[in-house]
Amino acid sequence: MEKLMLLPTIKKFIWSEFMEPLNISVKKMAHDIDVPETEIQHVLDGKKEVSAELSIKLGKYFGVSDDIFFNIQNDIDMRKAKRMN
């Protein structure tokens, strides 16, 4: 039986690459990009996916490409789908 590697998560990417090193809380980020805290928390908890609109806001906020978060979310989704088929 083939051993499967753990899939990456959007939480791990956002938290470890941006929030933790910059010491940014969910509350601060949500306020700064004008979205509800629950939206950010749901993305981090895996209850909601990163939308195109949120990706643009996060990209501007962190000074990176506006589609990076959306593309990573799509990559994670593709990996999940491939495992199921």
Side-chain angles (χ1 to χ4, degrees), residues 3-9 12 75-76 79-80 83:
K3 187 174 182 179
L4 297 175
M5 291 177 52
L6 291 176
L7 288 173
T9 63
K12 183 168 178 66
D75 182 66
I76 291 167
R79 290 178 190 209
K80 285 180 188 175
R83 282 198 177 174

Side-chain angles (χ1 to χ4, degrees), residues 10-11 13 16 33 35 40 45 49 53 57 60 62 71-72 74:
I10 196 71
K11 174 184 182 172
F13 178 71
S16 64
I33 65 173
V35 298
I40 301 296
D45 291 343
E49 294 184 349
E53 182 180 352
K57 289 182 177 192
K60 287 180 183 177
F62 291 119
N71 290 340
I72 289 172
N74 285 336

